[in-house]
Amino acid sequence: MAGAVYPGHRRSSARGACFSGVFTPTGAAAQLTVAAHLQRRPVPVTVRFSSSEGNPHVPDSAPVTRGMAARFHLPDGTHTDLLGITVPLFVASTPLEFFGLTEALRPNAESGHPDPSRVQEYVAAHPHLAGPITQQPPVPASYGTAAYWAIHAFIWVDAAGGRRPVRYRWQPAAGRMNLTPEEAATCADDYLSGELHERLRRGPVAFTLHVQRGEPGDPTDNPTVAWPAERSDVAVGQLELTGPVDDQEYWSAQRFDPGHLTAGIELSDDPVLAFRSRAYAESYRRRNENEPKGM
């Protein structure tokens, strides 16, 4: 049921599947940031693909946002995370706006679905959010044929202390391929995980990490606003996924967090980005509290 709580599961992105791979930087970022995984040395990566739904039983054919959470395992034993979703903009510019939208989308007790009039009322009161709220997430043919945007701006720091804002995008090497509603209706409820396992049996699944470099005046505090398309776009590395992780249960339970950064990358002044780390930490704490003891 929409809006229900499923103990032991995330409140968002409840169902997912985890995979292993290697990220090889191109070297194009080496002069722009001292981040260890963006120099020239390959690093292992663990990726969790998921649906944005908090209900783990929602079928993969639903037209909802998908996520790609990547954890880079750095040479010094630490890690840094990069989280992306299949739409380029977020649906709120502040945590308070997001809370208001969540309330507007709360299912009606009788129908089990949101009241369209409440959603329309919220959009009318926040017209600057109309574009992001009404963007229709695609239904991908595969986790491996979707593009994933990190939606927030981050700050890169170079060896001399120079700072520059960037935005990330994962581009699938196989190209973007989505399903029509008719095609999606014929898919199994968990087709995305099964399809990626089958695709990996034929060879690695690759993504290129692109970085859009911001210029003075580009907003870094608002994930609902895109930067101009003509901004410099640089391919900074390639990820090759090679197979599922050995311990699916362990990795599925991990907290992937956009605030897990490494030297050379800092949070921007985006209030939603800062809030996500705190929200994820609290969700992780509550999720673990709900797990059966002694198992």
Side-chain angles (χ1 to χ4, degrees), residues 211-295:
V211 168
Q212 187 183 32
R213 297 173 59 183
E215 296 184 4
D218 291 339
T220 56
D221 62 348
N222 191 341
T224 71
V225 177
W227 289 348
E230 62 268 20
R231 293 293 179 261
S232 171
D233 184 283
V234 181
V236 298
Q238 184 175 52
L239 170 65
E240 282 198 339
L241 299 177
T242 54
V245 296
D246 293 332
D247 191 339
Q248 195 71 224
E249 183 176 355
Y250 170 82
W251 281 107
S252 290
Q254 294 306 297
R255 175 165 65 95
F256 294 85
D257 186 335
H260 283 162
L261 303 178
T262 188
I265 306 176
E266 298 178 359
L267 298 178
S268 66
D269 53 351
D270 184 338
V272 177
L273 176 57
F275 184 79
R276 284 178 70 184
S277 286
R278 297 195 295 273
Y280 288 11
E282 178 63 15
S283 177
Y284 181 76
R285 182 187 68 79
R286 295 186 186 186
R287 186 165 73 246
N288 286 323
E289 282 182 350
N290 288 329
E291 289 184 350
K293 305 304 180 184
M295 296 181 64

Side-chain angles (χ1 to χ4, degrees), residues 8 13 17 29 36 48 106 108 130 136 148 216 264 277 295:
S13 305
R48 182 177 190 263
R106 190 176 296 279
N108 181 284
Q136 180 67 43
Y148 302 86
S277 286
M295 296 181 64

Side-chain angles (χ1 to χ4, degrees), residues 40-187:
R40 297 186 181 278
R41 179 177 175 179
V43 296
V45 176
T46 303
V47 169
R48 182 177 190 263
F49 292 104
S50 63
S51 160
S52 62
E53 283 292 309
N55 180 348
H57 310 298
V58 169
D60 285 347
S61 56
V64 299
T65 305
R66 323 289 158 165
M68 176 181 174
R71 173 159 296 177
F72 301 83
H73 303 279
L74 306 179
D76 65 358
T78 63
H79 68 260
T80 186
D81 294 346
L82 179 61
L83 278 61
I85 58 176
T86 50
V87 292
L89 301 174
F90 195 54
V91 293
S93 60
T94 67
L96 187 60
E97 281 187 344
F98 183 64
F99 177 76
L101 177 61
T102 301
E103 288 297 300
L105 291 170
R106 190 176 296 279
N108 181 284
E110 295 181 359
S111 69
H113 299 286
D115 182 345
S117 64
R118 291 186 65 192
V119 178
Q120 292 169 4
E121 181 180 347
Y122 186 83
V123 173
H126 302 80
H128 60 290
L129 301 180
I133 289 175
T134 58
Q135 60 187 337
Q136 180 67 43
V139 177
S142 167
Y143 279 134
T145 64
Y148 302 86
W149 288 263
I151 66 175
H152 305 287
F154 291 82
I155 306 300
W156 276 5
V157 184
D158 63 29
R163 300 163 61 81
R164 54 186 53 79
V166 299
R167 278 179 164 174
Y168 301 96
R169 180 183 85 256
W170 288 108
Q171 185 71 18
R176 299 186 203 177
M177 289 180 277
N178 300 317
L179 300 180
T180 66
E182 294 75 20
E183 290 170 332
T186 67
C187 293

